[in-house]
Amino acid sequence: MYRLNIYIGSGAVLLALVGLFLWIPQDTGTGLIVRVRRQVSIGDALAPTIAFTLMAIGGALLLVERRKHTSAEVSIAPFLHTGALVAVIALGLLLMRHAGPGILLIAEGFGATDTEYRLLRETFPWKYIGYFLGGVTIIGGMASLSAGRLQARTVLIAGVVTIGLVALVDVPFDDLLLPPNGDY
Amino acid sequence: MQPLDYIAAGIQAVIFGPAAFELLGVPIPLTLVMVFAGVVTGILVGATPGLAGPMAMAISLPILISFFGYNVEALLPVLGFLIGIMKGATLGGAVPAILFNTPGTPDAYMTTLDGYPLTKQGQSRKALKVAHLSSVSGDTFSDIALFVCAPFVALMVERHLDFPEKTALLILSLSFIAAVIGGSPGKGLISVALGLIAVFIGGGEDFYPRLSLGTDALAGGFSIMTAILGILIVGAVLKEYEDLWHRSNLSGALERIVDHGDQRLTRAEILRIAPYIGQSSIVGTIIGALPGIGTTLAAALGYQLGRARHERRRSEGAPAFGEGVIEGVAATEAANSSVSGSNLIPVLGLGIPGNAAAVFIILATDSIGGFTPGPSVFRFSESVVNTELVLVFGLFTAMLFANLVNWTFGGAFMRAATVMVRVPKRTLLPVVLLLTLTAVYAQEPSMESLWFTLGFGILGYLMRKVDMSPLPFVIAFVLGGSLENSARQAFSATGGDPYFLFSSWISIFFLAGSVVTVVLALRQKRTDSTQA
C-alpha cells in the first residue's frame, strides 16, 4: 500500500502541476481576478486553481504520510478482468447506438423501407432494437465473463431481463426515451 | 402564517394533495402511496447483498422525475419515495446479516456478530424482531431530533452568517469530509479536488467555457446525474464484479434455517434492550448530524458502547457480545438506523449533504426545482407564505408516515425479503448497471451522457481500488458550484477585498477549523501507523 500511495501522491502532484501551469492558463477565458469597468471580480481561473492546489496538497500529504513499509503488490489480473468488463459495456453501448439505424440501412439496401430512423424511433420494433441488443450484450456479456463461459441460458436470461426492463421503464412512461432514440 | 399554520399546511399538502387512486370512494394520497412503495423497495434492496439504498435512490430518481415532471407538485411524492427507500434499506440490511451472516448493507456488518449466532441457536425470528424494534425506534428518535434541530440550525445560520461566513462554512464541510472519510486526509483531499475540477469544467462566467479543451463535448460540463451515478453506481458495480470474480457467488448455497424455542419478544426482553436502543440512538443521531460520517461508524460505536455496558452488567456464565445476545443486535441496529433522520439536519438546515443518500435528496430538489435546501427554507414568514417551509413540514409528515409503515408492516416485509438473498449477484449487477444507464438517459437523452457515465464509473472503480472514498468527490461535485458562487458574491459584497474570508471572527473560526480537522486527521494517521 505504501508504494501505491507514492504512485498516487506523485500522480496527483504531477496532475496538479500540469493543471496549474498548463491547462488553466491555456484553457480559461479570464484570469484569477477580472477588472471590468473598475469593478473587480473573481475570474474563471480562480476556482480551478484552488482545486488543483488542493490536489497538490493532497498528493504531498499522501507522500509524507508515514506508513508501514510493505511490499504489497497490486495484481494486474483484476484490472484486466475489469478492462474486459468495460469493453463489454462499451460494445453494448455501441450496439445500442448503432444497431437500429444499422439494421434500417440494411433494410433499405434490400428495398424494404426508405424511411429515415428519426421517423421510426417511436415505432415498434425500431425503438427497441438498439436497447435490446445493447442490453443483452451488457447483461449477458458481463454475466458470462464473470462465470468464465458463455451459456445459452445466460443469454436467454439477459434477453428476458432486458424485455422486463423495457416493460418497466418504457411502457408505463410515454415521455421517456430509451437509448438511442433521444439522439435522433 | 404562524408556525402552527405552517405545520398544518405541510400535513394538508400530504393528506389532501394529489390522489393516487380511490379506495371505496376515499382518495388515497399519492405521497403516502409513494412513501409506502419506497419503504417496501428499500427493505427489498437493503435485504439484497450488493445493493444499497443510495443505488435504488439513484436509479429511481430520473425515472420518477420523468414520470412526475418538473413541477413543485412532484416534490413530495418523489422525496417521499426516496426517503422511504432510505428508511426501508436500513431495516432490510439486517435480514441477510442475521439469517445468512451476509450484511445486506455495509452498516449491517456489526449486526452479523450477534444476529447470526442467534440464528444458529434457532432464534432467527426473535433476532429479526429485535432488529425491527431497535431499527425503527432509532429511526423515529433521529427524526424527532431532525424536526427539533433543523429549524434552529437554519435560523442560526440565517441570522449570523453572511456570504464570507457561508463560503468558509462550505470550506469547513469539505475539509471535514476529506479528513474523516477513507482514513487518509491525503486521499480525501485528492477526492475532493477531483470532484471540484470535474464540476468546474465547462463552467464559469466568461463566454469561453473553461477547461473544455476547445471541445463541444466538454463545453456544457458534466451533468450532476452522469457524474454521481457514474462514480457511485457504475463504479460500485465494477468493483463488486471484481470482488465476485475473486470469490464464488455465495447466493447459491444458503443454509437452511431451523428455529426452535419461543420466538416471542417478551416485555422483560424489551425492557432489557431498551437502554441499549436509547444509548445507540443518541450516538447514531449525533454522528448522523455530522457531514461525511456514515452509518458504519455509528453502528461500530453503538456496538462498542453496548458491549461495554453489557460487560459491566453481565453475570457469570452469561453469553457476551458476539456470542448471540439480543442486546448486540439492538445496539447495532438502533445506531445505524438513527443516522437516517439526523443526516438531513445539514441537508435541510445548511444545504450540505452529509452522505450518499442525502446527495440524492439534494439532487431531487435540484432537478425538480421550487425547493432549495438551506437556511432560507426555515424562514417563518408571517406576511407571505413560505411555500418551501410548507414543503418541509410535508416532508416531515412523509417521514413520520414512513416510520409508521416501518412500525406496522416492516417486520412482515423483513421476513418476506429473505427471498432477495437468493438473487444471483452475477445477473443482478449488470441489470443494475443497465437500469442506471437507462435512468441517466431518461434524464439526459444523449448517448454522450452514457459514455460520460461509464467514464466516471471507471474513475469510481479506480478510486475504490486504491482505497480512496468516492464520497468526498460526490459532495465536492454537489457543493462546488455553490462554493464558487458564494465566494464570488462575498468578494463583490466586500468591494473586492482579497481577504474577505478573514473579514469576520466566524469565518476565521471556520477556516481554522478546516485546517485543524485535516491536521488532526493527519496526526491520527501517523499515530496509527507508528503503532502498527
Side-chain angles (χ1 to χ4, degrees):
Chain A
M1 209 60 194
Y2 179 70
R3 282 194 188 150
L4 189 62
N5 280 356
I6 288 184
Y7 296 142
I8 300 166
S10 312
V13 171
L14 195 68
L15 184 63
L17 291 176
V18 169
L20 288 169
F21 297 107
L22 284 176
W23 195 6
I24 295 174
Q26 300 287 323
D27 209 19
T28 47
T30 53
L32 300 177
I33 303 290
V34 189
R35 190 182 292 272
V36 183
R37 295 186 176 189
R38 290 186 217 133
Q39 190 84 29
V40 186
S41 60
I42 288 177
D44 282 355
L46 185 65
T49 300
I50 291 170
F52 277 112
T53 308
L54 271 181
M55 179 172 279
I57 295 170
L61 285 180
L62 211 53
L63 290 174
V64 299
E65 268 179 24
R66 199 180 298 162
R67 282 187 161 255
K68 194 182 169 191
H69 284 253
T70 60
S71 55
E73 293 287 321
V74 179
S75 168
I76 197 80
F79 285 106
L80 291 176
H81 179 259
T82 306
L85 282 180
V86 171
V88 165
I89 299 167
L91 179 68
L93 288 179
L94 285 172
L95 270 174
M96 219 177 252
R97 174 71 175 84
H98 297 292
I103 291 172
L104 186 68
L105 211 64
I106 295 168
E108 271 177 18
F110 285 102
T113 177
D114 58 353
T115 317
E116 55 183 301
Y117 186 81
R118 193 171 58 85
L119 301 172
L120 296 171
R121 66 174 191 163
E122 286 187 35
T123 59
F124 182 84
W126 300 103
K127 68 188 285 193
Y128 299 126
I129 287 175
Y131 186 79
F132 179 76
L133 292 176
V136 170
T137 306
I138 290 173
I139 297 174
M142 285 178 78
S144 302
L145 207 60
S146 176
R149 60 186 184 279
L150 180 66
Q151 286 179 309
R153 187 169 160 266
T154 311
V155 179
L156 190 71
I157 291 172
V160 172
V161 169
T162 312
I163 291 170
L165 286 182
V166 169
L168 180 79
V169 177
D170 184 66
V171 174
F173 308 117
D174 289 340
D175 298 335
L176 206 144
L177 287 169
L178 287 175
N181 301 324
D183 289 75
Y184 290 92
Chain B
M1 279 172 83
Q2 297 298 313
L4 280 177
D5 297 327
Y6 275 110
I7 295 171
I11 297 169
Q12 284 171 6
V14 172
I15 308 288
F16 302 114
F21 55 87
E22 285 196 359
L23 193 68
L24 304 171
V26 180
I28 307 297
L30 179 62
T31 304
L32 298 187
V33 172
M34 293 303 290
V35 172
F36 187 84
V39 171
V40 176
T41 309
I43 293 174
L44 292 176
V45 165
T48 313
L51 294 188
M55 267 192 184
M57 292 169 88
I59 293 167
S60 52
L61 178 60
I63 297 170
L64 289 172
I65 291 174
S66 300
F67 183 67
F68 287 107
Y70 297 87
N71 57 66
V72 184
E73 281 197 348
L75 272 169
L76 280 176
V78 171
L79 290 177
F81 188 81
L82 297 181
I83 279 172
I85 290 180
M86 197 170 84
K87 287 174 174 293
T90 51
L91 197 59
V95 176
I98 289 170
L99 299 183
F100 305 108
N101 205 21
T102 312
T105 48
D107 53 44
Y109 168 71
M110 304 302 285
T111 310
T112 61
L113 301 181
D114 281 281
Y116 188 61
L118 279 167
T119 298
K120 290 225 156 208
Q121 293 162 19
Q123 296 283 297
S124 75
R125 270 188 290 159
K126 181 176 274 187
L128 282 177
K129 281 177 186 169
V130 171
H132 175 231
L133 176 71
S134 317
S135 184
V136 186
S137 303
D139 196 2
T140 308
F141 177 84
S142 183
D143 283 356
I144 293 166
L146 165 72
F147 303 161
V148 174
C149 295
F152 285 106
V153 171
L155 289 174
M156 289 277 283
V157 169
E158 188 76 338
R159 191 165 297 164
H160 298 292
L161 307 193
D162 207 345
F163 288 119
E165 291 84 9
K166 283 177 185 167
T167 310
L169 179 63
L170 286 170
I171 293 171
L172 173 62
S173 305
L174 288 177
S175 311
F176 190 73
I177 288 161
V180 298
I181 297 179
S184 161
K187 285 179 184 171
L189 277 179
I190 295 173
S191 185
V192 164
L194 284 171
L196 290 175
I197 293 163
V199 76
F200 292 148
I201 287 176
E205 290 192 339
D206 192 60
F207 290 115
Y208 178 78
R210 69 180 164 204
L211 307 179
S212 59
L213 299 169
T215 60
D216 288 340
L218 293 179
F222 301 116
S223 81
I224 198 163
M225 214 57 105
T226 56
I228 292 176
L229 268 66
I231 287 276
L232 282 184
I233 314 300
V234 179
V237 167
L238 291 175
K239 185 69 176 66
E240 279 278 338
Y241 234 72
E242 187 194 294
D243 295 344
L244 201 64
W245 182 65
H246 280 296
R247 56 186 152 75
S248 60
N249 196 341
L250 293 170
S251 52
L254 294 177
E255 291 173 37
R256 196 164 161 264
I257 297 158
V258 183
D259 277 342
H260 44 79
D262 189 5
Q263 300 292 324
R264 279 175 301 179
L265 197 57
T266 62
R267 182 188 288 266
E269 284 170 329
I270 292 172
L271 288 175
R272 219 173 74 206
I273 60 173
Y276 294 87
I277 296 175
Q279 180 175 276
S280 288
S281 298
I282 294 169
V283 169
T285 301
I286 293 169
I287 286 177
L290 299 171
I293 310 181
T295 48
T296 311
L297 180 68
L301 210 55
Y303 189 80
Q304 294 299 341
L305 288 172
R307 176 156 61 188
R309 185 188 173 87
H310 188 68
E311 282 303 312
R312 285 197 301 271
R313 285 163 175 73
R314 190 162 66 97
S315 54
E316 192 90 10
F321 263 44
E323 293 173 4
V325 289
I326 55 173
E327 289 88 340
V329 176
T332 316
E333 280 303 305
N336 67 25
S337 298
S338 57
V339 169
S340 71
S342 62
N343 69 27
L344 292 185
I345 295 175
V347 175
L348 294 176
L350 308 171
I352 297 172
N355 62 15
V359 164
F360 291 107
I361 302 288
I362 294 252
L363 207 53
T365 57
D366 196 43
S367 305
I368 297 171
F371 182 81
T372 311
S376 62
V377 161
F378 286 95
R379 201 174 287 145
F380 284 86
S381 161
E382 289 187 18
S383 50
V384 185
V385 178
N386 180 0
T387 50
E388 291 187 317
L389 188 54
V390 175
L391 277 167
V392 166
F393 285 114
L395 196 62
F396 289 171
T397 310
M399 292 176 86
L400 286 176
F401 180 70
N403 286 344
L404 187 69
V405 174
N406 266 341
W407 276 110
T408 48
F409 301 105
F413 285 130
M414 276 175 89
R415 285 190 290 278
T418 52
V419 71
M420 294 305 291
V421 186
R422 294 173 195 280
V423 177
K425 261 190 180 181
R426 205 164 272 154
T427 313
L428 185 69
L429 290 173
V431 173
V432 169
L433 179 83
L434 185 58
L435 208 48
T436 305
L437 295 175
T438 312
V440 169
Y441 199 83
Q443 184 81 358
E444 217 180 311
S446 109
M447 288 301 288
E448 209 171 63
S449 60
L450 300 191
W451 289 109
F452 282 144
T453 308
L454 180 60
F456 278 113
I458 295 168
L459 179 63
Y461 160 78
L462 291 173
M463 288 170 86
R464 286 172 174 85
K465 190 78 190 153
V466 299
D467 222 10
M468 184 186 290
S469 170
L471 194 58
F473 176 100
V474 170
I475 293 175
F477 194 94
V478 171
L479 293 181
S482 312
L483 181 64
E484 191 181 13
N485 286 338
S486 170
R488 280 182 193 276
Q489 285 170 316
F491 190 70
S492 300
T494 53
D497 178 9
Y499 301 106
F500 67 90
L501 280 175
F502 302 94
S503 60
S504 78
W505 284 110
I506 296 176
S507 58
I508 291 171
F509 174 74
F510 286 154
L511 290 177
S514 313
V515 176
V516 168
T517 311
V518 175
V519 170
L520 282 179
L522 204 62
R523 283 185 61 166
Q524 179 67 37
K525 189 86 216 162
R526 283 185 167 216
T527 312
D528 291 350
S529 302
T530 312
Q531 283 169 354

